[in-house]
Amino acid sequence: MFKGSIVALITPMKVNGDICYKSLKKLVRYHIKNNTNAIVSVGTTGESATLTQKEHYNVIIKTVKYAKKKIPIIAGTGSNSTNESIELTKKLETSGISACLNVVPYYNKPTQEGMFKHFEKISKNTKLPQILYNIPQRTGSDLLPETTIKLSKIDNIIGIKEASGNLSRVNNIKSFVKKNFLLISGDDTTALDFIQLGGNALISVTANIMPNKIFKMCKFAINKNFKKARKINDKIHELNKLLFIETNPIPIKWAAKKIGLIDNNIVRLPLTTLSKKNKKILKKVLKKYYKK
């Protein structure tokens, strides 16, 4: 269902910090026009950690509305509270989303058994497809391949976004799961290698500002035209790295504003806007791709 380029969409905000739905609509249309294969709404890049529950739900609903069924929407529904994640997932049952992206519980650092039971309970309480999300550098816990393999046997757990940066995970998981279980990279810098090793897709930060290039790179890689994919990847490699010069989504929001995709580069506290030093660095690189 989900192959190729999936954008981890930013959540645009007004100067006063409110959600800017005008810019959100513009972004959704931008990705439809540029062939992005799917949108993740309110994931890490969408600042899920600082949106209220009401905002979180509303942004997903509006994203589905703006998409008009022209592009699949994957909703970020993860939480460090199992019951909270179930509650949001149930609210979205009839929303029109195509799947949920469910992050490993953060802060409370569950064991492998705790993680298994967390995802198992969520999956039992919904018919919506579930995509696991492993990002240990943010959550403090690492969903190990053996736990992922165990979870893959649950019918509506359809894949994993692996953002550990450990490329050996692709083979470690792929060898023991059902054929249609999705392996999705969560790291722009290693995504091409991830797909070449047997991955299916990339949930991309860079795609926010370079959707067509990420779409083409992923398409070439999935079709095993690695020479053409590598050529695109080499051109954007420096940008991929610089978009993490400060905590995501600080740089990508600044870049999106710089090229005119959103009206403001506002991020919510405790995040702050890009430093003057890093603005200069990122601006210099952006000039290689954009006139503005």
Side-chain angles (χ1 to χ4, degrees), residues 11-41:
T11 300
M13 296 174 186
K14 299 176 182 178
V15 174
N16 66 0
D18 291 344
I19 308 299
C20 182
Y21 289 106
K22 176 186 172 184
S23 290
L24 180 63
K25 187 175 185 178
K26 181 180 175 181
L27 288 174
V28 173
R29 289 180 173 179
Y30 176 67
H31 285 285
I32 293 169
K33 183 180 178 180
N34 283 278
N35 303 308
T36 299
N37 296 108
I39 290 173
V40 170
S41 178

Coordinates of all heavy atoms in Angstrom, one line a residue, residues 11-41:
T11 N 3.9 20.9 10.3 CA 2.6 21.5 10.7 C 2.8 23.1 10.7 O 3.4 23.6 11.6 CB 2.1 21.1 12.1 OG1 1.9 19.6 12.1 CG2 0.8 21.7 12.5
P12 N 2.3 23.8 9.7 CA 2.5 25.2 9.6 C 1.8 26.0 10.7 O 0.6 25.6 11.1 CB 2.0 25.6 8.2 CG 1.1 24.5 7.9 CD 1.5 23.3 8.6
M13 N 2.4 27.0 11.2 CA 1.7 27.8 12.3 C 1.8 29.3 12.0 O 2.6 29.8 11.2 CB 2.5 27.5 13.6 CG 2.3 26.1 14.1 SD 3.3 25.7 15.5 CE 3.0 24.0 15.7
K14 N 0.8 30.0 12.6 CA 0.8 31.5 12.5 C 1.8 32.1 13.4 O 2.4 31.4 14.3 CB -0.6 32.0 12.8 CG -1.7 31.5 11.8 CD -3.1 31.9 12.3 CE -4.2 31.4 11.4 NZ -5.5 31.8 11.8
V15 N 2.0 33.4 13.3 CA 2.9 34.1 14.2 C 2.5 33.9 15.7 O 3.4 33.8 16.6 CB 3.0 35.6 13.9 CG1 3.8 36.4 14.9 CG2 3.5 35.8 12.5
N16 N 1.2 33.8 16.0 CA 0.8 33.7 17.4 C 0.9 32.2 17.8 O 0.5 31.9 19.0 CB -0.6 34.2 17.5 CG -1.7 33.4 16.8 OD1 -1.4 32.5 16.1 ND2 -2.9 33.9 16.9
G17 N 1.3 31.3 17.0 CA 1.5 29.9 17.3 C 0.3 29.0 17.0 O 0.4 27.8 17.2
D18 N -0.8 29.6 16.6 CA -2.0 28.8 16.2 C -1.7 28.0 14.9 O -0.8 28.5 14.1 CB -3.2 29.7 15.9 CG -3.8 30.3 17.2 OD1 -3.4 29.8 18.3 OD2 -4.5 31.2 17.1
I19 N -2.4 27.0 14.6 CA -2.2 26.2 13.4 C -2.6 27.1 12.2 O -3.7 27.7 12.2 CB -3.0 24.9 13.4 CG1 -2.8 24.1 14.6 CG2 -2.8 24.1 12.1 CD1 -1.4 23.6 14.8
C20 N -1.8 27.1 11.1 CA -2.1 27.8 9.9 C -2.7 26.9 8.9 O -2.0 26.2 8.1 CB -0.9 28.5 9.3 SG -1.3 29.5 7.9
Y21 N -4.0 26.8 8.8 CA -4.7 25.8 8.0 C -4.6 26.2 6.5 O -4.6 25.4 5.6 CB -6.1 25.6 8.4 CG -6.2 24.8 9.7 CD1 -6.6 25.4 10.9 CD2 -5.9 23.4 9.7 CE1 -6.7 24.7 12.1 CE2 -6.0 22.7 10.9 CZ -6.3 23.3 12.0 OH -6.4 22.6 13.2
K22 N -4.5 27.5 6.3 CA -4.3 28.0 4.9 C -3.0 27.4 4.3 O -3.0 26.9 3.2 CB -4.2 29.5 4.9 CG -3.9 30.2 3.5 CD -3.7 31.7 3.7 CE -3.2 32.3 2.4 NZ -2.9 33.7 2.5
S23 N -1.9 27.5 5.1 CA -0.6 26.9 4.6 C -0.7 25.4 4.5 O -0.1 24.8 3.7 CB 0.5 27.4 5.5 OG 0.8 28.7 5.4
L24 N -1.4 24.8 5.5 CA -1.5 23.3 5.4 C -2.2 22.9 4.2 O -1.7 21.9 3.5 CB -2.3 22.9 6.7 CG -2.5 21.3 6.8 CD1 -1.2 20.6 6.9 CD2 -3.5 21.0 7.9
K25 N -3.2 23.5 3.8 CA -3.9 23.2 2.5 C -3.0 23.3 1.3 O -2.9 22.5 0.4 CB -5.1 24.1 2.3 CG -6.0 23.8 1.2 CD -7.3 24.6 1.1 CE -8.2 24.2 0.0 NZ -9.5 25.1 0.1
K26 N -2.2 24.4 1.3 CA -1.2 24.7 0.3 C -0.2 23.5 0.2 O 0.2 23.1 -0.9 CB -0.5 26.0 0.5 CG 0.5 26.4 -0.5 CD 1.1 27.8 -0.2 CE 2.2 28.2 -1.1 NZ 2.8 29.5 -0.7
L27 N 0.3 23.1 1.4 CA 1.3 22.0 1.4 C 0.7 20.7 0.9 O 1.4 20.0 0.1 CB 1.7 21.8 2.9 CG 2.6 22.9 3.4 CD1 2.9 22.6 4.9 CD2 4.0 23.0 2.7
V28 N -0.5 20.4 1.2 CA -1.1 19.1 0.8 C -1.2 19.1 -0.8 O -0.9 18.2 -1.4 CB -2.5 18.9 1.4 CG1 -3.2 17.7 0.8 CG2 -2.3 18.7 2.9
R29 N -1.7 20.2 -1.3 CA -1.8 20.4 -2.8 C -0.4 20.3 -3.4 O -0.3 19.7 -4.5 CB -2.5 21.7 -3.1 CG -4.0 21.7 -2.7 CD -4.6 23.0 -3.1 NE -6.1 23.0 -2.9 CZ -6.9 24.0 -3.1 NH1 -6.4 25.2 -3.5 NH2 -8.2 23.9 -2.9
Y30 N 0.5 20.9 -2.8 CA 1.9 20.8 -3.3 C 2.4 19.4 -3.5 O 3.1 19.1 -4.5 CB 2.8 21.7 -2.4 CG 4.3 21.7 -2.7 CD1 4.8 22.4 -3.8 CD2 5.2 21.1 -1.8 CE1 6.1 22.4 -4.0 CE2 6.5 21.2 -2.0 CZ 7.0 21.9 -3.1 OH 8.4 21.9 -3.4
H31 N 2.1 18.6 -2.5 CA 2.6 17.2 -2.5 C 1.8 16.3 -3.5 O 2.4 15.4 -4.1 CB 2.6 16.6 -1.1 CG 3.7 17.1 -0.3 ND1 5.0 16.7 -0.5 CD2 3.8 18.1 0.7 CE1 5.8 17.3 0.4 NE2 5.1 18.2 1.1
I32 N 0.5 16.6 -3.7 CA -0.2 15.9 -4.7 C 0.3 16.3 -6.1 O 0.5 15.4 -6.9 CB -1.7 16.3 -4.6 CG1 -2.3 15.8 -3.3 CG2 -2.5 15.8 -5.8 CD1 -3.7 16.4 -3.0
K33 N 0.6 17.5 -6.3 CA 1.2 18.0 -7.6 C 2.5 17.4 -7.9 O 2.9 17.1 -9.1 CB 1.3 19.5 -7.6 CG 1.7 20.2 -8.9 CD 1.8 21.7 -8.8 CE 2.4 22.3 -10.0 NZ 2.4 23.8 -9.9
N34 N 3.3 17.2 -6.8 CA 4.7 16.7 -7.0 C 4.9 15.2 -6.8 O 6.0 14.7 -6.6 CB 5.6 17.5 -6.1 CG 5.9 18.9 -6.7 OD1 6.8 19.1 -7.5 ND2 5.2 19.9 -6.2
N35 N 3.8 14.5 -6.9 CA 3.8 13.0 -6.9 C 4.2 12.3 -5.6 O 4.5 11.1 -5.7 CB 4.7 12.5 -8.1 CG 4.3 13.1 -9.4 OD1 3.2 12.9 -9.8 ND2 5.3 13.7 -10.1
T36 N 4.2 13.0 -4.5 CA 4.5 12.3 -3.3 C 3.5 11.2 -3.1 O 2.3 11.3 -3.4 CB 4.4 13.3 -2.1 OG1 5.4 14.3 -2.3 CG2 4.6 12.6 -0.7
N37 N 4.0 10.0 -2.6 CA 3.1 8.8 -2.6 C 2.2 8.7 -1.4 O 1.1 8.1 -1.5 CB 4.0 7.5 -2.6 CG 4.8 7.4 -3.9 OD1 6.0 7.6 -3.9 ND2 4.1 7.1 -5.0
A38 N 2.5 9.4 -0.3 CA 1.7 9.5 0.9 C 2.1 10.6 1.8 O 3.3 11.1 1.7 CB 1.6 8.1 1.6
I39 N 1.3 11.0 2.7 CA 1.6 12.0 3.7 C 1.5 11.5 5.1 O 0.5 10.8 5.4 CB 0.6 13.2 3.6 CG1 0.9 14.0 2.3 CG2 0.7 14.2 4.8 CD1 -0.1 15.1 2.0
V40 N 2.5 11.7 6.0 CA 2.3 11.5 7.4 C 1.9 12.8 8.0 O 2.6 13.8 8.0 CB 3.6 10.9 8.0 CG1 3.5 10.9 9.6 CG2 4.0 9.6 7.5
S41 N 0.8 12.7 8.7 CA 0.2 13.9 9.4 C 0.4 13.8 10.9 O 0.1 12.8 11.5 CB -1.3 14.0 9.1 OG -1.9 15.1 9.7

